[in-house]
Amino acid sequence: MQEFAIILVSSILINNYVLVQFLGLCPFMGVSNKLESAIGMSAATTFVLTLTAMASYIVDVMVLMPLGLIYLRTIAFILVIAAVVQFTKMFIEKTSPLLYRVLGVFLPLITTNCAVLGVALQNASKDLNFMESSLYGFGAGAGFSLVLIFFSAMRERLAAADIPAPFEGAAIAMITAGLMSLAFMGFSGLV
Amino acid sequence: MAFKQITSPHAHAAQNTSKVMQLVLWATVPGLAALTIQFGWGSLINVVLAVVTAVACEAAILKLRKRPVAFYLQDYSAVVTAVLLGLALPPLAAWWVVVVGSMFSIIIAKQLYGGLGYNPFNPAMVGYVVLLISFPIQMTTWITPLSLLPDGVSHPGIIESLGIVFSGYSPADGVTGATPLDVFKHSSGLVVDQIYESNPLFSQAAFAGVGWEWVNLGFLAGGIVLLATRIFTWHGPVAMLAAIAMMSLLFWDGGSSESPGSPLMHLFSGASMMGAFFILTDPVSSAVSNRGRLIYGALIGVLVYIIRAWGNYPDAVAFAVLIANFAAPFIDNYTLPRTYGHTDRRRATEKEED
Amino acid sequence: MIESIAQQPILAALIAMVGLGVLFGALLGYAAEKFKVEGDPIVEQIDELLPQTQCGQCGFPGCKPYAESIASGDAINKCPPGGQSTINAIANLLDVPAPELDAEHGEEADLRTVAYIREDECIGCTKCIQACPVDAILGAAKLMHTVIAGECTGCDLCVEPCPVDCIDMLPLTEGLKQWHWPAPQNQLDIIASDRSGHEAPSNEGRAA
Amino acid sequence: MRSTWVTPGGVHPPENKHQSLTMPIGSLPIPEKLLVPLSQHIGAPAKACVKVGAKVLKGQKIAEATGAVSVPMHAPTSGTVTAIEDRPIAHSSGMSAPCIEITSDGKDTWIDHKGVADFEHASPQALTKTIADAGIAGMGGAGFPSAIKLSPGHRRPINTLIINATECEPYITADDSAIRERAAEIITGIGILSHILGNPVNILIGIEDNKPEAIAALEPHVADTGISVVSFPTKYPSGGEKQLIYILTGKELPSGQLPADAGMVCINIGTTYAIKRAVVNGEPLISRVTTMTGNACGINRNYETLIGTPVSHMLAHSEFNEHACSRLVMGGPMMGFSLTSAEVPIVKTTNCILAPSYSEIPDDEPAQACIRCGMCAEACPASLLPQQLFWYSQAEDHDRLEAHNLFDCIECGACSYVCPSNIPLVQYYRHSKGEILKAREEKVKSDHARERFEFHQQRMEQAEKDKEAKRAARREAAEKAKATVAANAGTAKEGTGPAPGSAADIIAAAQARAAAKQVSPEEQQAKFERSIAGAEMRVQMATDKLVETNAKQTEDQKNILNAALEGAKQKLEQAQARLAEHVKKHSEQVK
């Protein structure tokens, strides 16, 4: 039980994918303008992360390892990710057209979100079991969601700030993310 | 006869932002005095150096942005930021540490966001964290409190202190030492009673830790004055202190060797009181509603304790405040007060009332 | 079986990848059937935000067609009657940065206008009636026409066809009912020393 | 002693009420000219029922109520109607609105009037009508027609009548002094209200505890009447209807509802006096108590003022020093609005004219940044978050503003009062409210336009389809006819022969019609000439405008005008070319 708690705390806070490992920055900057779309993106990414962590574990253990094809991990995982993302995309398009529209190109781009591949590869290299892998994937997604949602709420507030013209928009968002990253360093050494 | 068209209300209370800021400055005096008495002239030098740098930076940026410099400097916000940073830095820190921190606070954390009122993070704490991560050695070298100095040794005088600050030599070995929070961080093998007996930091203390208890009492006194003058509400500070007390009580563990310290020790060590009354009460970067401030304060308290107890850093107020700043806009969206005539609280994000 | 395949690395890789591909392909194929989408509900939402003047300044015959065009990726800054506020609203809906109004399609008017026919000059040609997209002009052949002011969207389309140029676009005047306080002037530009003393006319900006 | 409830927030500005209470209610000489605006109340403006030049008597009806929510106006004194036109009125915008100007004849002759002393025997309907005819609208500030509040048809029976004697704004003492001097009449007025409303269980006079003299004046009159005088601690804004209801009953009025929905009626105490005068004495509402105060005036006191008295007349009799006056406010310092001209008249809702000196109410300091200190939220009586509303108002985020309940803001000004950064918060809210209402109105309009456009589209399509169908039918008929002709020709040459309406005939007829339709060349030439004349005129106009503006306007405007001139010139050229072509063609045809 404590094991699982450690995995969660580690993946959400200490090794936060966005602010500590700097993975998945593309959707982090791109979809954080509005709280609503950030929440949608968070849900989608967490879903994809958890599902790919599970699926890639299965593929890894059931197919690649018995066949001695570990060197094919990256390609196989990308295949898994692409399929899961495509599935998610269809699902969202059907259930929430506005969200689909708002997420725009970032939804299919979850495929190339390095956090997703990162989780799958890290899981494989750490020799985690199925439960741990899934939890790790979920934790990574939750960490991503946490900072993305907070960040979008903050960007909504910054929208009305009197920011000097050269720093408006993405520039100040990057600075904010940088400062956040500093703050998250406070979590180092927790586990 | 023609008269001006002016919106109501026509009457105004006599309060103004600059007076509020000045009151905050006066309220730091007991804390500053305690720091100076207990740890020598270093803190005073820090404060002066930080204020000069901050005001200069603020003026330069305002000039650059073609804003009326005098008008904006009059709000004293840069001075407050600098004073808080100066108080937080270790006494006798090298001059460039103070200057870099102060510059970072004003330029990056405040003016890049548009100046007073727009900064999402507490500028003083941004400066502090940047320094802590960049210069860990300088930032964790604390002076030994006055009463624990060996016989015949005293804190450097003001001239000598200036020499130390500007020459960059570190203070003499006998003058620096561990803080109570450091002691607990690095003494995992001992039960609390043993620590209390063996370490003069505790054995000679009145109730929490030599030197630090007075500094914290100083800030507590200043904070109570501010509370009494209704500069801020009680919600944030009380929630934070209560959260620290609860957490330390929960993990007190009967004083075993695993214990991260007693509630009293945590409440009166490090930057607890200063954080509670001077840092998290910074209204710009905190949550806005009273309920939001309760959550915000409690979040800081919990984070402070977690990082102090299990993280790499002995004190954590700055990190906790920044993380809570980050969460504040989100908290605000879900902690609107119930408006007169409405049965339920609303969310800031909802389009139609349920 | 597995072992024998594992002996042949190339074959194993091939089988594994193709197998995975087929598996996921089948899954996606099923999902595509299951989550099929018809129509684009976003058009309605964009159409809601457009001002419905039906003026065609965007280059489309009406607001709905323009909404459809936006939904399929057209620029959102082609609507002068809606102006910046409409652009901002659509940008907000679609979560894209709000561009400035495209001057190619016209400029944003300060005031809403309404068409007015100088009735003694009207020759009753019915051309404007045919041009009006919202049927706001009353009249019949050889009889003078008049505009129902409340229905007029100020689209300008009736002005061009009129052979005797008897249609004016008059600005709608703001009455007491429409009046509301203007936003306070941004005082950042005011230098403090300009305002000390009672003589300074410090509130001109606000009164304006 | 009834228990009272405490509202959240509120402020305690200096009261400054003593200045105007040193003297009893006075009266002013009748001004030479009085100006009666047609809209002094919430609802539709009244419609003038006198003509310019008409002689009127004091109390004579000069404007009729229009529609359900409206009140009539009466002549405040006898004299002649000298103008009915737009004049600046008491409104924050400083704009003009229709007014009736009466030039006084100095005689102040009343029209015949008669009241009902034993109102207990009159029917509530008759009394309500008397009140409506007397033109009484709420005199506390909003000006809601009183008769409507008293009319039956409430969804619930009224069980509580609240008389608002709070007068929580600083400086204003109109109600206070009226109670001190006219307590008996006011109690009679409350009796009338109670009778109309079917004797509600609770009749409460809500009054702040800073008016002990007024409370003492009321006490002897309320004994044995079932009316309770409830005093409560002074705090601004206790006098807001919603606030007062909460203070007295502990009930919150749900957002968007009227007191009547909760079985309550809330009437200002000044209004009860006016109702008493209307019912018992038969006098319409033509005067009211107005406080004249502020250090820019040598005399601070309450006056019984005729409706329509110009503010300047009042100032002239109060030792007013224009140079000492920092601003001129109608109403109190918290919610009153500034007047841009002193010529505006006193209206039914004017409880105070405030002419403060610079030391009393200095010019506004420039606004500093909002630091979200939260003092505004502490002061807000509606538990809003003014600092967030300000933030979103600046960002023009209407969704967020509505989610933060902007429309529950009563604009009391407590937030601006306490703001340490001197931000004109209330103006931001008013602006945003106005913008949101405008957007809503435009939304309704655009929805309507969409509907009409879609109908138009449909109609055009239908017409097109009908035409197509007709064409198809005609083609079919023609083919059939042809077939018949061919068949006839083939089978029986001596047969009936082609029908009279054969294809050739139809074509000929159509040609004739077309010829008839074509305008004669002369007419066409005339048309071209007309359009040339029009175009010439436009060129002339554009040139004039350009010359006129050349001197003072900016480059941009010049460019626009230049472009307009170019366009006009082009049109002229086109028209000339067309005419030339036409003339050529026509002359060729003639040849």
Side-chain angles (χ1 to χ4, degrees):
Chain A
M1 200 55 222
Q2 205 184 351
E3 192 82 339
F4 295 151
I6 288 175
I7 289 182
L8 272 183
V9 171
S10 159
S11 54
I12 294 176
L13 297 180
I14 305 158
N15 291 317
N16 186 291
Y17 267 82
V18 180
L19 291 179
V20 180
Q21 305 199 27
F22 305 114
L23 294 173
L25 279 177
C26 164
F28 180 67
M29 300 308 293
V31 201
S32 52
N33 278 321
K34 246 169 62 178
L35 185 61
E36 277 174 349
S37 40
I39 291 175
M41 186 69 184
S42 299
T45 309
T46 308
F47 177 74
V48 169
L49 272 165
T50 317
L51 213 61
T52 42
M54 290 172 169
S56 52
Y57 178 85
I58 294 170
V59 168
D60 196 37
V61 172
M62 314 265 282
V63 180
L64 300 182
M65 296 229 240
L67 294 177
L69 295 173
I70 302 211
Y71 61 91
L72 278 180
R73 259 183 191 162
T74 311
I75 296 177
F77 288 172
I78 287 177
L79 195 65
V80 171
I81 293 167
V84 173
V85 169
Q86 194 60 31
F87 177 81
T88 313
K89 183 180 152 241
M90 287 175 187
F91 181 75
I92 291 179
E93 190 175 5
K94 177 75 182 177
T95 49
S96 173
L98 183 62
L99 183 63
Y100 176 75
R101 170 99 208 160
V102 162
L103 295 181
V105 72
F106 290 103
L107 193 52
L109 274 184
I110 297 179
T111 317
T112 55
N113 182 340
C114 30
V116 182
L117 186 62
V119 166
L121 288 174
Q122 281 182 5
N123 277 348
S125 64
K126 277 184 192 156
D127 278 338
L128 300 173
N129 64 30
F130 179 72
M131 198 58 208
E132 288 166 342
S133 299
S134 331
L135 215 55
Y136 200 79
F138 175 76
F144 178 84
S145 306
L146 183 81
V147 294
L148 181 61
I149 289 171
F150 283 4
F151 191 59
S152 65
M154 178 162 274
R155 279 186 81 172
E156 280 190 348
R157 180 179 284 185
L158 287 181
D162 177 33
I163 293 165
F167 292 95
E168 267 172 17
I172 200 73
M174 290 298 263
I175 290 170
T176 309
L179 294 179
M180 270 335 298
S181 182
L182 279 181
F184 264 65
M185 289 180 84
F187 287 125
S188 64
L190 269 194
V191 175
Chain B
M1 280 181 273
F3 297 90
K4 281 163 264 176
Q5 186 187 27
I6 307 167
T7 187
S8 67
H10 304 280
H12 287 284
Q15 193 68 273
N16 70 44
T17 301
S18 141
K19 277 189 205 154
V20 171
M21 295 285 183
Q22 288 175 47
L23 203 62
V24 172
L25 287 177
W26 283 114
T28 60
V29 169
L32 180 59
L35 272 171
T36 311
I37 294 166
Q38 295 291 334
F39 299 101
W41 294 103
S43 288
L44 203 59
I45 298 173
N46 281 350
V47 166
V48 173
L49 207 55
V51 167
V52 171
T53 316
V55 171
C57 288
E58 178 115 328
I61 298 271
L62 287 173
K63 195 95 200 152
L64 208 65
R65 295 191 70 193
K66 300 192 176 63
R67 298 285 157 87
V69 176
F71 176 71
Y72 281 96
L73 285 185
Q74 268 168 15
D75 64 26
Y76 281 87
S77 60
V79 180
V80 170
T81 298
V83 167
L84 294 178
L85 178 66
L87 291 173
L89 294 178
L92 296 183
W95 65 271
W96 49 266
V97 170
V98 183
V99 169
V100 166
S102 192
M103 280 175 70
F104 207 92
S105 296
I106 295 298
I107 298 177
I108 307 282
K110 186 176 168 197
Q111 288 296 341
L112 276 196
Y113 286 96
L116 180 62
Y118 297 118
N119 49 301
F121 299 105
N122 185 315
M125 290 302 102
V126 170
Y128 185 86
V129 163
V130 166
L131 293 177
L132 187 58
I133 285 168
S134 314
F135 315 113
I137 297 174
Q138 283 85 346
M139 288 296 286
T140 48
T141 312
W142 267 86
I143 305 295
T144 309
L146 181 66
S147 50
L148 293 188
L149 288 175
D151 289 337
V153 182
S154 68
H155 286 138
I158 185 149
I159 305 292
E160 204 184 333
S161 301
L162 282 171
I164 293 172
V165 167
F166 284 99
S167 67
Y169 293 124
S170 51
D173 265 354
V175 194
T176 60
T179 67
L181 289 170
D182 289 335
V183 172
F184 268 90
K185 178 126 267 165
H186 301 295
S187 56
S188 47
L190 298 170
V191 299
V192 172
D193 282 346
Q194 284 171 321
I195 300 178
Y196 268 61
E197 273 165 35
S198 63
N199 196 314
L201 257 179
F202 298 104
S203 58
Q204 294 184 24
F207 55 93
V210 173
W212 290 97
E213 54 199 22
W214 294 108
V215 172
N216 275 283
L217 274 179
F219 285 120
L220 176 61
I224 287 172
V225 170
L226 291 182
L227 258 185
T229 48
R230 312 190 65 140
I231 296 300
F232 46 74
T233 59
W234 57 268
H235 303 81
V238 169
M240 170 185 166
L241 295 176
I244 292 186
M246 294 276 280
M247 288 293 284
S248 46
L249 207 61
L250 202 63
F251 292 94
W252 165 233
D253 216 10
S256 77
S257 58
E258 292 287 311
S259 171
S262 72
L264 211 55
M265 200 277 292
H266 274 285
L267 286 178
F268 286 92
S269 288
S272 298
M273 289 298 167
M274 180 178 158
F277 291 100
F278 292 89
I279 304 295
L280 74 78
T281 52
D282 164 29
V284 179
S285 55
S286 82
V288 287
S289 65
N290 286 340
R291 223 157 52 101
R293 283 177 184 173
L294 278 177
I295 297 172
Y296 172 82
L299 177 66
I300 292 179
V302 169
L303 287 173
V304 164
Y305 187 81
I306 288 177
I307 299 177
R308 272 184 187 177
W310 300 296
N312 281 347
Y313 296 92
D315 201 358
V317 172
F319 289 115
V321 167
L322 288 191
I323 290 165
N325 287 163
F326 188 41
F330 183 76
I331 295 174
D332 284 342
N333 280 341
Y334 297 94
T335 51
L336 304 190
R338 186 187 66 83
T339 309
Y340 177 104
H342 291 258
T343 46
D344 288 310
R345 303 168 188 279
R346 296 182 73 171
R347 277 171 290 114
T349 47
E350 72 185 17
K351 295 270 198 299
E352 308 275 317
E353 192 165 12
D354 304 329
Chain C
M1 168 78 175
I2 289 176
E3 273 164 33
S4 60
I5 294 174
Q7 299 300 317
Q8 313 262 333
I10 307 283
L11 190 66
L14 213 64
I15 290 177
M17 297 319 284
V18 169
L20 284 175
V22 168
L23 186 70
F24 289 129
L27 190 77
L28 287 182
Y30 173 72
E33 268 310 302
K34 178 107 187 166
F35 299 126
K36 204 167 193 171
V37 185
E38 282 117 19
D40 196 354
I42 199 87
V43 173
E44 295 291 325
Q45 279 165 306
I46 299 173
D47 193 40
E48 283 280 298
L49 298 175
L50 292 172
Q52 305 300 329
T53 48
Q54 318 294 355
C55 63
Q57 289 182 65
C58 51
F60 294 90
C63 296
K64 187 80 173 272
Y66 181 42
E68 278 160 10
S69 174
I70 290 178
S72 52
D74 200 356
I76 63 173
N77 59 348
K78 295 183 179 176
C79 181
Q84 198 60 42
S85 58
T86 297
I87 296 177
N88 291 347
I90 300 176
N92 191 31
L93 175 75
L94 302 180
D95 201 13
V96 292
E100 301 258 303
L101 183 66
D102 188 351
E104 197 182 298
H105 295 273
E107 281 165 19
E108 186 177 357
D110 292 338
L111 282 172
R112 282 185 69 113
T113 54
V114 64
Y116 173 76
I117 297 178
R118 291 195 301 276
E119 288 167 1
D120 43 347
E121 291 174 39
C122 174
I123 54 169
C125 68
T126 76
K127 286 212 165 83
C128 54
I129 297 182
Q130 290 156 26
C132 181
V134 291
D135 297 337
I137 304 180
L138 272 184
K142 303 280 175 196
L143 293 168
M144 65 146 185
H145 309 332
T146 192
V147 177
I148 312 169
E151 310 286 1
C152 176
T153 63
C155 69
D156 245 10
L157 291 179
C158 52
V159 175
E160 195 52 41
C162 180
V164 291
D165 285 324
C166 71
I167 302 181
D168 294 320
M169 299 306 294
L170 298 181
L172 271 179
T173 44
E174 256 201 356
L176 267 183
K177 262 220 154 95
Q178 282 84 35
W179 184 87
H180 60 84
W181 278 95
Q185 183 200 18
N186 185 359
Q187 301 197 327
L188 284 174
D189 319 321
I190 297 171
I191 296 168
S193 57
D194 287 353
R195 311 197 30 149
S196 55
H198 300 141
E199 289 74 33
S202 50
N203 285 290
E204 261 179 11
R206 269 194 223 167
Chain D
M1 187 73 201
R2 282 182 67 99
S3 59
T4 54
W5 283 260
V6 179
T7 51
V11 291
H12 295 275
E15 288 172 12
N16 284 314
K17 288 187 187 256
H18 57 277
Q19 297 97 318
S20 51
L21 284 169
T22 52
M23 285 183 275
I25 298 173
S27 60
L28 290 162
I30 298 168
E32 198 188 321
K33 282 179 190 254
L34 291 119
L35 208 55
V36 182
L38 292 177
S39 181
Q40 308 182 13
H41 51 269
I42 286 179
K47 191 165 158 276
C49 58
V50 285
K51 291 263 180 326
V52 176
K55 293 256 183 270
V56 291
L57 292 174
K58 179 174 187 162
Q60 183 183 335
K61 191 184 277 183
I62 52 175
E64 293 273 7
T66 54
V69 185
S70 187
V71 293
M73 305 291 160
H74 302 81
T77 187
S78 58
T80 319
V81 176
T82 41
I84 301 176
E85 61 189 25
D86 281 7
R87 295 285 179 85
I89 57 151
H91 190 270
S92 332
S93 67
M95 285 177 163
S96 300
C99 296
I100 299 176
E101 187 190 68
I102 293 173
T103 304
S104 160
D105 59 7
K107 295 187 195 122
D108 208 23
T109 326
W110 265 100
I111 195 168
D112 279 346
H113 60 285
K114 197 165 83 49
V116 255
D118 55 343
F119 60 83
E120 285 95 342
H121 297 109
S123 72
Q125 286 78 6
L127 290 175
T128 312
K129 185 164 184 311
T130 309
I131 291 170
D133 288 341
I136 296 175
M139 290 158 76
F144 191 76
S146 302
I148 296 174
K149 283 193 188 179
L150 301 172
S151 302
H154 294 308
R155 274 151 274 182
R156 295 180 56 175
I158 301 301
N159 55 36
T160 308
L161 169 62
I162 293 175
I163 304 299
N164 190 343
T166 318
E167 204 164 51
C168 59
E169 276 230 33
Y171 285 101
I172 307 177
T173 55
D175 288 348
D176 191 356
S177 57
I179 299 170
R180 291 185 192 191
E181 297 180 26
R182 300 163 178 175
E185 286 182 272
I186 286 169
I187 299 298
T188 311
I190 297 174
I192 297 170
L193 290 172
S194 167
H195 175 63
I196 293 174
L197 293 170
N199 299 310
V201 188
N202 300 310
I203 304 175
L204 310 170
I205 302 178
I207 186 163
E208 283 186 334
D209 61 6
N210 62 352
K211 302 177 201 41
E213 295 88 349
I215 296 170
L218 284 171
E219 291 291 357
H221 297 284
V222 297
D224 308 324
T225 54
I227 302 172
S228 6
V229 178
V230 188
S231 77
F232 47 86
T234 302
K235 181 165 83 172
Y236 178 84
S238 300
E241 192 171 69
K242 293 175 167 189
Q243 277 66 35
L244 185 62
I245 287 174
Y246 183 77
I247 291 171
L248 295 182
T249 67
K251 285 181 197 149
E252 280 188 19
L253 213 53
S255 179
Q257 281 197 18
L258 294 171
D261 298 324
M264 294 186 232
V265 166
C266 199
I267 299 261
N268 173 267
I269 198 144
T271 318
T272 60
Y273 174 74
I275 286 172
K276 185 262 160 187
R277 299 296 296 183
V279 171
V280 179
N281 308 61
E283 295 171 9
L285 176 54
I286 51 167
S287 73
R288 63 158 299 146
V289 181
T290 302
T291 309
M292 177 70 243
T293 185
N295 278 350
C297 284
I299 300 172
N300 285 189
R301 74 182 295 185
N302 285 286
Y303 293 108
E304 182 71 33
T305 324
L306 293 178
I307 306 295
T309 306
V311 171
S312 57
H313 178 76
M314 236 180 146
L315 293 173
H317 290 86
S318 308
E319 298 173 11
F320 174 62
N321 176 1
E322 193 189 338
H323 301 289
C325 182
S326 65
R327 56 184 85 179
L328 193 59
V329 179
M330 186 175 276
M334 298 300 285
M335 289 186 79
F337 50 88
S338 60
L339 300 176
T340 46
S341 154
E343 296 311 312
V344 304
I346 302 291
V347 293
K348 292 174 181 176
T349 54
T350 309
N351 48 12
C352 179
I353 297 294
L354 175 60
S357 67
Y358 282 100
S359 59
E360 262 180 310
I361 297 185
D363 279 346
D364 290 350
E365 300 270 312
Q368 290 174 291
C370 169
I371 55 167
R372 298 159 177 269
C373 62
M375 289 184 190
C376 46
E378 295 290 300
C380 181
S383 303
L384 297 166
L385 290 175
Q387 71 276 56
Q388 294 288 80
L389 289 174
F390 162 65
W391 187 268
Y392 291 123
S393 172
Q394 268 194 319
E396 292 179 10
D397 190 338
H398 291 176
D399 287 344
R400 285 292 164 89
L401 284 171
E402 291 199 50
H404 280 80
N405 295 326
L406 174 65
F407 283 92
D408 286 297
C409 166
I410 58 169
E411 300 177 16
C412 67
C415 49
S416 305
Y417 175 78
V418 297
C419 180
S421 291
N422 298 308
I423 300 171
L425 294 166
V426 176
Q427 193 182 343
Y428 277 101
Y429 307 152
R430 287 185 176 143
H431 170 70
S432 288
K433 282 183 185 176
E435 290 287 309
I436 291 174
L437 291 178
K438 198 171 121 194
R440 281 187 195 164
E441 209 173 280
E442 270 170 19
K443 181 87 191 93
V444 170
K445 237 185 148 175
S446 81
D447 283 348
H448 182 69
R450 178 186 307 114
E451 234 168 69
R452 288 186 69 95
F453 176 64
E454 275 163 11
F455 177 72
H456 175 87
Q457 291 291 76
Q458 214 182 330
R459 190 166 55 79
M460 300 297 264
E461 267 168 36
Q462 194 56 48
E464 193 59 37
K465 248 187 236 158
D466 289 352
K467 233 188 242 169
E468 189 59 42
K470 239 183 231 166
R471 232 177 272 146
R474 220 180 292 144
R475 206 181 307 127
E476 216 169 277
E479 250 155 51
K480 218 183 246 168
K482 221 193 230 166
T484 353
V485 171
N488 284 352
T491 51
K493 273 191 181 172
E494 77 288 1
T496 47
S502 72
D505 279 355
I506 292 172
I507 290 166
Q511 271 173 346
R513 260 206 314 277
K517 224 180 202 171
Q518 209 161 39
V519 280
S520 68
E522 287 75 26
E523 251 176 70
Q524 202 150 6
Q525 187 169 346
K527 188 183 148 193
F528 281 134
E529 276 163 1
R530 257 206 313 278
S531 71
I532 287 178
E536 269 171 351
M537 200 175 72
R538 248 175 237 212
V539 171
Q540 189 54 42
M541 258 160 60
T543 325
D544 288 351
K545 215 171 190 178
L546 190 59
V547 171
E548 183 190 329
T549 47
N550 246 343
K552 49 192 179 186
Q553 297 299 334
T554 63
E555 205 57 26
D556 284 356
Q557 278 164 315
K558 254 189 251 171
N559 287 342
I560 294 171
L561 287 175
N562 267 327
L565 177 60
E566 277 314 305
K569 273 184 185 161
Q570 253 169 32
K571 257 197 185 151
L572 176 61
E573 274 165 26
Q574 275 171 18
Q576 280 166 339
R578 247 181 303 177
L579 177 63
E581 199 185 336
H582 172 75
V583 170
K584 205 170 106 201
K585 215 159 73 187
H586 184 54
S587 54
E588 274 169 11
Q589 267 178 20
V590 172
K591 273 179 211 161

